[in-house]
Amino acid sequence: MFARVTHYRMKPESVEAAIAMLDTMKPQIMALPGMHQFINTMNDTGEGCVISLVESREISDANAGAVQALWSQFQEHLAAPPSAEGFDVIADWR
């Protein structure tokens, strides 16, 4: 299992519109190959973090173009480009 963690910052005036847009994109996001879980967090200033649990690093890397296309739909709402890093999952407790 592999986790892609992406930090982002929305324009404060765009938070509501971005959340509404995200809700409509759920089918596209969850249809990405190897996707196990998608968590999106955000505070009241528009700073947030997406944690995507994917089957493997290879699958996550192969999804990079599709993920970039999804993020591009938020371009007008972003205060800065998102910043992603990846990690091997060493524990997934529920």
Side-chain angles (χ1 to χ4, degrees):
M1 190 85 68
F2 186 74
R4 177 74 59 200
V5 179
T6 305
H7 296 272
Y8 66 87
R9 188 168 37 121
M10 294 289 170
K11 297 173 186 171
E13 66 276 9
S14 290
V15 168
E16 287 183 32
I19 292 170
M21 180 185 283
L22 177 67
D23 287 340
T24 68
M25 296 171 68
K26 180 181 177 181
Q28 293 171 281
I29 293 168
M30 296 309 293
L32 288 167
M35 180 68 75
H36 283 263
Q37 188 172 358
F38 177 86
I39 301 168
N40 191 337
T41 64
M42 187 189 310
N43 66 21
D44 57 358
T45 67
E47 291 181 69
C49 179
V50 171
I51 304 162
S52 299
L53 294 181
V54 182
E55 187 67 33
S56 69
R57 177 187 301 265
E58 294 77 21
I59 292 172
S60 179
D61 289 348
N63 288 342
V67 170
Q68 185 175 6
L70 290 168
W71 274 110
S72 72
Q73 295 181 48
F74 288 95
Q75 187 172 5
E76 70 180 274
H77 303 300
L78 289 167
S83 170
E85 36 186 356
F87 304 90
D88 293 320
V89 175
I90 59 170
D92 180 15
W93 301 333
R94 298 171 196 242

